[in-house]
Amino acid sequence: MTLAASDLDAAFEACRSETAEWAKTFYLGTLLLPLEKRRAIWAIYVWCRRTDELMDSEEAQLRPVEELAERLDRWEEKTRALFDGHVEDNLDAVMQDTLQRYPQGIQPYLDMIEGQRMDLSWTRYPTFQDLKLYCYRVAGTVGLMTQGVMGVDEAYTSAPWSECPDPSDAAVALGIANQLTNILRDVGEDRARGRIYLPQEDLRHFGVSEDDLLAGKINEAWIELMMFQLARAREWFVRSEAGVRWLSADARWPVWTSLRMYRGILNAIERNNYDVFNRRAFVGKLSKALELPRCFVIAQSR
């Protein structure tokens, strides 16, 4: 299957529209990229969203585990075929265009599918190490998928003796930071689906019972637990910052913008007095507008 240029443009536009609808903060950051790069990021985002929907859509919640497992198996087969050059639909077409422009390996995509498989059987996470693996698979992989699109600044590669820096660790760290933020923001929604992502070892350490969490009880123990979780997420954001300076000049501002805006959700959780059961934390339009010039300055100076 080969799409005409106009049909390929329409397929990329559909990816843009879906990204704008479902990932508003992330989408705003992509708008600061050159057109070719932003189209590639939209395509990757939609592939990731399709992968996530296999498990987390409302329709999927009604399906038995065996059927969900079969869906993931078929999606993995389709993904392997895509990387072998087989195109079946418009999403395949935009992904093929992206892979041709920004070559990369299949492993992060397979790892993300493995993250979805974890949701088939994992409803609790005993330790942070267990949760970190999950966060890598479902979000750290996105950093690996997109780092080739962002590119490395030629200042680090132009001289014959240059050793190209590897932003992979920082890219993964940003994905983990984002996923930890999602988990903290969505505690209330996840409990309704029978899922608790906060590590069981942390619940025990701070004296928060599972019954208290499921009941949405906000007390001193809960606040101390959440303060600890927010501090951990911020540490992962700090780890990610170290690699932004290596990115190409046209990517640093978008990445700083996405990083700082997403980290702002943690501030919103604090402003909501750690109530993630009845109030959804988000970054308002004014705060986003104020961050844009700040991030531009940071991108030029760090």
Side-chain angles (χ1 to χ4, degrees), residues 100-136:
Q100 288 173 346
R101 295 176 186 273
Y102 307 101
Q104 56 183 288
I106 193 176
Q107 195 58 51
Y109 295 83
L110 299 181
D111 287 346
M112 176 171 281
I113 294 171
E114 283 302 311
Q116 299 303 319
R117 287 196 176 102
M118 290 179 74
D119 273 334
L120 291 172
S121 55
W122 290 65
T123 60
R124 304 291 188 275
Y125 287 81
T127 70
F128 178 68
Q129 290 302 311
D130 298 316
L131 181 62
K132 185 173 75 170
L133 174 62
Y134 175 76
C135 289
Y136 159 71

Side-chain angles (χ1 to χ4, degrees), residues 218-233:
I218 301 174
N219 54 20
E220 192 63 32
W222 173 256
I223 291 173
E224 290 180 1
L225 169 66
M226 287 296 287
M227 290 174 65
F228 175 79
Q229 301 297 328
L230 265 64
R232 173 186 279 158

Side-chain angles (χ1 to χ4, degrees), residues 128 131 135 172-185 198 202 225-241 259 262-267 269-270:
F128 178 68
L131 181 62
C135 289
V172 168
L174 181 54
I176 291 176
N178 287 342
Q179 187 61 26
L180 291 174
T181 300
N182 288 342
I183 287 169
L184 295 174
R185 180 193 61 194
L198 299 182
D202 294 344
L225 169 66
M226 287 296 287
M227 290 174 65
F228 175 79
Q229 301 297 328
L230 265 64
R232 173 186 279 158
R234 287 180 171 125
E235 287 176 3
W236 281 94
F237 277 115
V238 170
R239 293 188 192 189
S240 72
E241 292 178 3
L259 186 159
Y262 221 81
R263 184 165 55 192
I265 295 173
L266 302 176
N267 300 334
I269 291 173
E270 290 175 332

Side-chain angles (χ1 to χ4, degrees), residues 60-73:
Q61 299 300 309
L62 304 175
R63 302 296 179 181
V65 169
E66 296 76 14
E67 182 176 338
L68 296 176
E70 290 176 2
R71 286 183 176 185
L72 289 171
D73 289 343

